Amino acid sequence: MTRLLGDLAVAAALALALGGALASFWGGGERPWALRHAKRFALLVFGCLSVATAAMVYALVSHDFSVGYVAQVGSRSTPLLYTVISLWGALEGSILFWGWVLALYTALVAVGAPDSLGTLKRYALGTLMAVGCFFYLLLVGPASPFLPVSPVPADGPGPNPLLQNHPLMAVHPPLLYLGYVGMTVPFAFAVGSLLARRDDLAWIRVTRRWTLTAWLFLSLAIVAGMWWSYEVLGWGGYWAWDPVENASFMPWLTATAFLHSVLVQERRGMLKLWNASLIISTFLLTILGTFLTRSGVLSSVHAFAEGPIGYYFLGFIAVVLVASLALLAGRSPQLKSDGRLDSVASRETAFLFNNLLLTAFTFTVLLGTLFPLVAEALRGVKLSVGGPFFNRMTLPLCVALLFLVGVGPALPWRAARADELRRKLLAPAAALVLTVVLCVAFRVPSVYGVLAFGFGAFAFTTNAQEFVQGAAARMRSGGERPWTALGRLVAANRHRYGGYVAHLGVVALAVGIAASSTFRAEQEQTLRPGESMRAGPFELRLERLWSADEPQRFVVGADVRVFRGGRDLGVMDPRLNFYRVRNEPVPTPAVRSRLTDLYLNLMAFERDGSTATLSVVREPLVSWIWLGGGIVALGALIALWPQRRKRPPARPAAPAPRPAPQPRELVEAGGD
């Protein structure tokens, strides 16, 4: 029954999405009836996908192994949390979840976008449902999760052990889908504006909020994925330039470029073609990332097993690319810039350089990710492009972007005066010089580390002084207290100061990455119970080895007591987890997060418990990466928060009508 309900719901969603797309694109001009029908179709599609998703979750929780997807990823021994999140643990379930998120976004656009947009909204809904048709077609055909299984097995293998080894798997994939799929909305409005021949700012104003929302989710997803890699994989790192990591990073780069350059279009009427191209590129990169993850062409801990849908995605990418290029070419006259650059020392110039650097960054990551695949396809040679290539090519770009994060807020629109630049850049330049001098004095071993710390101090000072100077001005004019002035300053211009907060988060991220990679120290030693080892200022003593039998795995752990300066800091317990469907153990490192992280991993052990091999990694400021991600998210939330509308001033009350003069005798008598 569950399988039949899911199949019918997905088939109905495909039919409704097709009908909604046709209704949206039917004819041209203003058609209120078509918009009404498109909105109804969008809500019905969301209802059908919600039914199908709920049916799959019920099948997973009830261990209905007659459903193909449940037989693939389900197991009676898997804890409930990991049973539910196995919905996105394999190919077919992930496509179902993708389709549900897309239907959710489509319904939100149908309900939330103003109907006053008219044809623009109708074409945007039609584009969303046309994209939905592709994914719902996959669910009906090659990626159907509701296929029958015969004979029905008594139990299943459970989800991939890496996906049930840490609760972050309940957070990272949904955030990633909300970010990835959310980029479809700005793409739909960009296509809608081109089809409707709208050259005003309506689509930009709508699109910026949707792009910022998806960018927020994607930013959180990337940081959560880094945290998961750090906490689960046992190598002491958080970013390995894995192809699937790169696939999520590339659309983030182009979306970041759009969020900056869209300000230039709003303010100066420039970069219209560039902004439309950035949005289309961002959407195409999300589809490319989905193809790389689900086609089986990549070998990665993040990728799914080989599936039959790779050619479908390639065909879809080709169709979207050709159609988008045709639209851009056909509408190029309406995308001409209205303004021009007035000065090199201006904010729009800084945004332009920012866009060029982010585009170069994206191209570099794309080249390093796809080149091994192209080489293998053309010449049959397996190549590997790893961390050294990406670090060598991208570190100069990162330093340049960090410089622009600092110099951008100091530049005004159109042109800057020399005295104004000196006043705004004096303190940041002093912070830069002081930081570089301190780094040289303390012999920081990496040139890029010195530059990252120096330009990080420069960018932090520039963005922080925007808050200080703005709040000081309000305090002088209105006599407000410092925190009140700061709060009202941010509330009065949330977009601007939300961006500055996000910049501060980027600085924290950059400093955390630079410090943890520059000063990382690692060592490994085999100990007997009661023996100790030194790791910098720490002393680690192996207390005992232990084992535990859990429903879905067998665990071997070590209790290690940590001392610093003779003070007992407690016990850390790194583990090795043995799953019956995986030959190699899955590590669970123990992490003590402070100013310097102590990262402890159990590498090997003797079966009789006589010895254990421990790997100890010391990395400073890793926690700044997670803190920086939170600050970036806070900045995006501030920018997204609705601006309080000013109430129009109340009209003065009309003066009371003067009484008509009365005869004197009546007044004296008190009469009417």
Side-chain angles (χ1 to χ4, degrees):
M1 182 63 185
T2 304
R3 187 175 59 79
L4 179 61
L5 178 63
D7 273 334
L8 290 175
V10 170
L14 174 60
L16 289 167
L18 183 59
L22 292 175
S24 300
F25 292 123
W26 185 267
E30 298 292 340
R31 293 175 178 268
W33 63 267
L35 178 58
R36 288 195 302 270
H37 285 307
K39 291 166 62 176
R40 290 169 186 156
F41 276 119
L43 295 175
L44 288 172
V45 169
F46 174 64
C48 290
L49 262 295
S50 297
V51 170
T53 305
M56 179 53 68
V57 172
Y58 176 77
L60 288 166
V61 172
S62 63
H63 305 300
D64 185 357
F65 295 108
S66 66
V67 178
Y69 186 72
V70 179
Q72 180 185 348
V73 303
S75 175
R76 300 184 187 277
S77 61
T78 303
L80 179 61
L81 171 65
Y82 297 107
T83 296
V84 173
I85 67 177
S86 62
L87 171 66
W88 49 77
L91 174 68
E92 293 84 359
S94 70
I95 297 295
L96 176 61
F97 188 63
W98 180 294
W100 180 80
V101 175
L102 179 58
L104 171 63
Y105 273 116
T106 307
L108 290 175
V109 170
V111 174
D115 288 350
S116 59
L117 295 173
T119 307
L120 173 59
K121 178 177 178 178
R122 177 160 62 88
Y123 284 150
L125 282 174
T127 304
L128 284 167
M129 283 186 277
V131 173
C133 285
F134 168 72
F135 286 95
Y136 310 147
L137 181 64
L138 293 179
L139 290 172
V140 171
S144 173
F146 295 102
L147 293 176
V149 175
S150 181
V152 178
D155 202 355
N160 186 328
L162 288 172
L163 304 182
Q164 53 176 315
N165 204 45
H166 198 282
L168 273 174
M169 271 299 103
V171 178
H172 166 57
L175 289 174
L176 189 61
Y177 284 96
L178 288 168
Y180 253 39
V181 184
M183 294 301 177
T184 313
V185 178
F187 167 75
F189 275 105
V191 171
S193 72
L194 294 173
L195 290 174
R197 297 179 181 273
R198 296 281 293 263
D199 58 356
D200 56 7
L201 293 176
W203 82 272
I204 284 290
R205 290 177 180 139
V206 175
T207 301
R208 184 174 64 176
R209 179 170 292 273
W210 287 103
T211 308
L212 186 56
T213 301
W215 182 88
L216 166 62
F217 286 127
L218 191 55
S219 302
L220 289 172
I222 291 172
V223 174
M226 295 167 69
W227 199 353
W228 174 84
S229 180
Y230 185 67
E231 294 278 350
V232 170
L233 297 183
W235 60 296
Y238 39 78
W239 191 265
W241 294 108
D242 180 278
V244 179
E245 292 174 343
N246 298 345
S248 65
F249 188 43
M250 288 185 289
W252 184 89
L253 290 170
T254 52
T256 304
F258 172 79
L259 289 172
H260 286 83
S261 65
V262 73
L263 299 175
V264 180
Q265 182 173 345
E266 281 188 303
R267 190 72 178 249
R268 301 293 313 279
M270 300 164 57
L271 305 181
K272 294 181 181 180
L273 179 61
W274 179 249
N275 285 328
S277 302
L278 279 176
I279 281 296
I280 292 170
S281 300
T282 301
F283 174 70
L284 284 170
L285 286 171
T286 63
I287 302 300
L288 176 65
T290 310
F291 160 73
L292 294 175
T293 310
R294 288 159 179 81
S295 62
V297 299
L298 294 178
S299 177
S300 166
V301 296
H302 306 81
F304 297 95
E306 185 173 354
I309 63 173
Y311 292 110
Y312 290 85
F313 272 99
L314 285 177
F316 183 64
I317 291 172
V319 170
V320 173
L321 180 60
V322 171
S324 300
L325 290 176
L327 270 176
L328 288 173
R331 301 292 188 265
S332 56
Q334 78 183 57
L335 298 175
K336 290 182 178 179
S337 294
D338 299 330
R340 60 181 179 84
L341 290 176
D342 295 328
S343 170
V344 175
S346 64
R347 185 166 296 186
E348 47 265 50
T349 303
F351 284 158
L352 180 60
F353 279 112
N354 174 78
N355 271 235
L356 293 175
L357 289 174
L358 287 170
T359 304
F361 205 142
T362 306
F363 178 76
T364 301
V365 177
L366 181 65
L367 178 65
T369 304
L370 296 184
F371 181 74
L373 302 179
V374 175
E376 184 177 357
L378 296 180
R379 301 181 58 187
V381 178
K382 287 193 175 184
L383 299 176
S384 177
V385 177
F389 165 81
F390 288 106
N391 292 333
R392 185 167 58 253
M393 298 298 293
T394 61
L395 282 176
L397 296 173
C398 291
V399 172
L401 285 168
L402 199 56
F403 167 73
L404 288 177
V405 167
V407 77
L411 293 172
W413 293 99
R414 292 187 179 274
R417 300 192 310 272
D419 59 333
E420 183 181 11
L421 275 182
R422 281 195 300 269
R423 178 176 58 84
K424 285 200 169 186
L425 293 178
L426 180 61
L432 167 64
V433 172
L434 178 61
T435 304
V436 170
V437 169
L438 289 174
C439 289
V440 173
F442 285 97
R443 297 180 180 179
V444 174
S446 168
V447 174
Y448 283 115
V450 174
L451 293 175
F453 297 141
F455 283 115
F458 174 82
F460 175 83
T461 307
T462 306
N463 286 272
Q465 78 177 2
E466 291 294 319
F467 290 93
V468 173
Q469 292 174 356
R474 293 186 69 96
M475 290 168 62
R476 287 193 300 269
S477 62
E480 299 173 342
R481 294 182 177 181
W483 289 110
T484 304
L486 183 62
R488 290 182 177 176
L489 175 73
V490 174
N493 197 336
R494 292 187 174 93
H495 290 155
R496 178 182 177 185
Y497 288 97
Y500 293 159
V501 170
H503 287 174
L504 295 176
V506 170
V507 171
L509 269 161
V511 172
I513 292 172
S516 60
S517 57
T518 300
F519 299 108
R520 175 187 169 109
E522 184 175 3
Q523 60 192 94
E524 188 174 305
Q525 191 169 331
T526 301
L527 301 175
R528 296 180 181 276
E531 291 183 341
S532 300
M533 64 179 290
R534 297 291 304 181
F538 300 100
E539 179 185 350
L540 294 88
R541 186 175 68 206
L542 177 63
E543 298 279 316
R544 67 184 182 104
L545 280 169
W546 52 270
S547 63
D549 207 357
E550 297 181 357
Q552 81 279 23
R553 63 189 180 184
F554 179 75
V555 181
V556 175
D559 286 346
V560 180
R561 191 166 294 276
V562 182
F563 301 90
R564 181 170 184 171
R567 186 163 59 95
D568 188 350
L569 302 181
V571 175
M572 299 176 67
D573 58 342
R575 307 177 180 190
L576 286 173
N577 306 297
F578 296 85
Y579 293 85
R580 68 171 186 260
V581 296
R582 188 181 178 95
N583 295 327
E584 298 179 357
V586 178
T588 299
V591 184
R592 184 180 183 272
S593 290
R594 298 293 188 274
L595 195 61
T596 295
D597 273 22
L598 186 63
Y599 189 96
L600 188 57
N601 209 22
L602 177 61
M603 304 298 294
F605 62 91
E606 291 293 337
R607 291 180 178 272
D608 59 1
S610 59
T611 63
T613 301
L614 301 177
S615 171
V616 185
V617 181
R618 288 175 289 119
E619 296 177 281
L621 302 188
V622 174
S623 56
W624 282 36
I625 300 173
W626 327 134
L627 175 64
I631 296 173
V632 168
L634 176 62
L637 286 173
I638 291 173
L640 279 170
W641 201 263
Q643 196 81 22
R644 186 178 297 175
R645 294 182 179 178
K646 296 181 180 180
R647 295 181 179 180
R651 293 181 179 179
R658 300 182 63 181
Q662 298 179 355
R664 182 177 178 181
E665 61 272 13
L666 285 178
V667 173
E668 291 177 346
D672 295 327

